Amino acid sequence: MNNENIPQPDPSWDYYLTYHRLLKAKSQLNQLIKDISELESATTESDQSINEDLFDLTSLLDDTRIPVDEPPDES
């Protein structure tokens, strides 16, 4: 991934970790797209590899979610 055009945020920024996790997910997704584009045809092995990469990517994105406190119920 080319980070030359992407500004580097201040580590004290509230979204610093989220920002970097999203950049990592973007890099993984770009690599997966590149890998798939080079495949001539589907195989069981390539399907398994793609699924493993997708699992890793979705796990990373799930871990990137920001917990939000629910407002108190006023009833």
Side-chain angles (χ1 to χ4, degrees), residues 4-73:
E4 292 176 19
N5 297 329
I6 299 174
Q8 293 303 306
D10 182 339
S12 66
W13 180 38
D14 291 342
Y15 292 114
Y16 183 78
L17 289 176
T18 302
Y19 175 88
H20 282 284
R21 288 175 181 157
L22 289 172
L23 283 179
K24 182 177 179 179
K26 179 182 176 197
S27 175
Q28 288 180 355
L29 182 58
N30 286 339
Q31 183 62 51
L32 180 56
I33 291 169
K34 180 181 177 292
D35 293 347
I36 290 173
S37 71
E38 295 172 355
L39 296 174
E40 300 254 341
S41 57
T43 65
T44 301
E45 293 80 18
S46 63
D47 288 351
Q48 288 173 337
S49 178
I50 291 166
N51 283 338
E52 288 171 9
D53 290 342
L54 288 170
F55 178 80
D56 291 343
L57 182 58
T58 55
S59 294
L60 174 60
L61 290 172
D62 281 340
D63 292 343
T64 303
R65 289 181 187 270
I66 301 168
V68 179
D69 295 330
E70 294 291 324
D73 187 10

